[in-house]
Amino acid sequence: GKFRLDYAEDHNAAPPLSVLDVYDVNAPFGNLNVSLPVTKNNPDLKEERTKGFEAGLEMRFLSDKIGFDVTYYKQNTIDQIYPAAVSRATGFFSKFINAGDVQNTGVEVSLYFRPVHTRDFDWRVDLNWARNRNKVLDLGGIQNLLLASFQGGVSINAAVGEPYGTIKGRDFQYLNGERIVNPANGRYLQSATSDVIIGDVNPDWIGGVTNTLRYKNISLSFLIDVKKGGDMFSLDLYYGLATGLYPETAGNNELGNPIRNPVSAGGGLLFQGVKPDGTPNTTRISAVDFGAQGYRRNPAAAFVYDASFVKLRELNLNFDLPGKILGDKKYVKGITIGAYGRNLWIIHKNLPYADPEDGLSSGNVQGYQSGSYPTVRTVGVNLNVKF
């Protein structure tokens, strides 16, 4: 058994060319062409600092047939450097600032065990699980820092008292948890502003399971990767449901009639919800109207989806050449021939028609999906020679 306790601090300098104002030099056309950048630099920037505390316990039992490693951590990032949005009247779109305090706390767990362990056959299972919770504690006097704004009327934000990475946009109006429908036209009532939290990009937890099986010189391993929770806004569905691209806009309704038939003939849509007086909605709307199920008649919250998934992330099959094949070539310690595959199968997901890991950015700005391409599988073979 091992117990560990750590405390560390890390300092990051400002990004290049973010302190003193300089001109942007554009592609020359005739005389030299320069312009002001859209982001105001800041000579008073301070270093970004991260302070972290960590405690962990690692234990192994039964001649290394089972073991675990548990870690708890708490980390605060202070004076983070961001380009914060400013009034366009200043001549700039944004300005570099030091923005307060963001706290992350979490638990990471890894566990392994060997159900079978013999000379010819070995089976090992590795599990990992992690949960992180972050919260914006301070933004240097600002209540909300706009990280990015996107088509569809949504934005990704860091707001004081909220997780880092909230999605804001127009929401439905609710009565006792039920969406309110306007009885005059059968459409949902929407919030008055787009400054409403409609999602959180942070997952509830992530994890994975790796199985490794070996029989004599042959080994097979595969990794199942899991993410639970986290929200994503889909611009594809925002437009696709408005224009009749997806199958939800056709087919039959709950009455068994073609959805695109006239309402008078039993077609159309009946949105689930209640009238302002609390009684169930009974007003149908035409499904042939442009935007009936898309952005034109629905708030941005209608296109926020759970980004959970279960994937067969990786599979490896390897064969170690027996030593007798190598003969007396002592300079070669071993040869392994193998085949592998990655991103082979999305076993489960809740986001329709796209990979939940798709997005415009892998950095601070997450939770926005647009123009998805099919997920690419990777397969290959390899040769590993040990000297």
Side-chain angles (χ1 to χ4, degrees):
K2 297 179 181 179
F3 177 74
R4 62 182 179 273
L5 194 64
D6 300 277
Y7 176 82
E9 290 193 20
D10 182 34
H11 293 238
N12 291 322
L17 303 179
S18 62
V19 177
L20 300 178
D21 289 327
V22 294
Y23 287 105
D24 286 337
V25 179
N26 305 310
F29 182 77
N31 296 326
L32 183 64
N33 184 359
V34 298
S35 63
L36 281 173
V38 296
T39 301
K40 180 75 169 67
N41 290 338
N42 185 352
D44 298 321
L45 285 177
K46 295 179 290 185
E47 284 185 323
E48 180 179 293
R49 295 176 294 153
T50 300
K51 300 179 180 180
F53 162 82
E54 178 182 302
L57 177 64
E58 179 183 358
M59 302 192 76
R60 300 181 184 184
F61 306 92
L62 304 175
S63 300
D64 205 25
K65 289 185 175 64
I66 185 170
F68 67 85
D69 190 337
V70 180
T71 301
Y72 169 81
Y73 63 87
K74 180 180 178 182
Q75 188 179 80
N76 285 70
T77 304
I78 303 170
D79 294 330
Q80 294 187 81
I81 300 172
Y82 289 107
V86 296
S87 169
R88 301 290 177 87
T90 63
F92 297 93
F93 290 6
S94 57
K95 175 185 177 180
F96 280 109
I97 65 169
N98 290 105
D101 185 359
V102 177
Q103 179 175 281
N104 283 274
T105 58
V107 177
E108 297 175 346
V109 180
S110 63
L111 167 69
Y112 72 89
F113 59 95
R114 290 175 169 172
V116 181
H117 182 53
T118 66
R119 178 178 178 180
D120 290 336
F121 182 72
D122 184 67
W123 176 20
R124 173 171 170 140
V125 181
D126 291 88
L127 300 97
N128 63 81
W129 180 88
R131 170 176 172 168
N132 180 77
R133 292 291 180 267
N134 66 54
K135 188 175 184 180
V136 180
L137 303 180
D138 178 60
L139 288 174
I142 302 173
Q143 290 303 305
N144 186 86
L145 179 63
L146 178 67
L147 302 178
S149 60
F150 295 111
Q151 195 173 3
V154 298
S155 60
I156 311 298
N157 302 267
V160 175
E162 300 290 344
Y164 183 94
T166 53
I167 305 174
K168 290 188 177 182
R170 286 191 182 274
D171 198 357
F172 299 94
Q173 291 189 30
Y174 297 92
L175 179 65
N176 298 324
E178 297 280 348
R179 297 174 179 177
I180 302 176
V181 179
N182 185 347
N185 54 29
R187 302 169 190 161
Y188 286 121
L189 296 180
Q190 303 183 24
S191 61
T193 70
S194 59
D195 191 29
V196 181
I197 296 177
I198 57 176
D200 178 3
V201 304
N202 299 284
D204 297 332
W205 55 266
I206 57 175
V209 180
T210 300
N211 280 270
T212 304
L213 299 99
R214 179 192 59 82
Y215 177 69
K216 294 185 176 179
N217 293 346
I218 300 174
S219 64
L220 172 69
S221 67
F222 59 93
L223 167 63
I224 303 295
D225 198 8
V226 182
K227 185 179 86 166
K228 174 66 171 65
D231 297 316
M232 173 172 283
F233 176 87
S234 172
L235 190 70
D236 289 355
L237 286 149
Y238 175 87
Y239 281 121
L241 290 172
T243 55
L245 177 65
Y246 293 115
E248 290 91 336
T249 63
N252 294 335
N253 59 22
E254 82 284 359
L255 300 176
N257 300 320
I259 195 173
R260 294 184 179 179
N261 278 359
V263 173
S264 59
L269 298 165
L270 182 67
F271 287 156
Q272 297 298 311
V274 297
K275 301 175 185 178
D277 62 4
T279 59
N281 174 43
T282 56
T283 306
R284 308 185 71 83
I285 69 169
S286 172
V288 298
D289 291 343
F290 170 66
Q293 292 170 268
Y295 69 90
R296 189 175 178 87
R297 306 300 183 194
N298 293 277
F303 312 101
V304 173
Y305 294 85
D306 177 17
S308 300
F309 63 77
V310 180
K311 292 185 176 184
L312 176 57
R313 180 69 72 184
E314 187 169 348
L315 186 146
N316 292 280
L317 178 63
N318 293 302
F319 175 67
D320 296 324
L321 293 182
K324 61 182 180 181
I325 295 180
L326 302 177
D328 58 356
K329 297 183 173 74
K330 301 299 183 182
Y331 54 87
V332 177
K333 303 299 183 182
I335 298 178
T336 301
I337 302 172
Y340 65 89
R342 297 187 179 95
N343 292 324
L344 296 175
W345 180 21
I346 302 179
I347 302 170
H348 169 77
K349 65 186 180 75
N350 296 317
L351 174 66
Y353 315 116
D355 187 337
E357 288 189 292
D358 192 17
L360 295 181
S361 169
S362 59
N364 288 325
V365 180
Q366 301 182 41
Y368 188 85
Q369 174 267 320
S370 173
S372 285
Y373 289 98
T375 302
V376 177
R377 297 184 180 97
T378 302
V379 295
V381 294
N382 54 52
L383 174 65
N384 190 339
V385 181
K386 297 179 181 179
F387 296 98

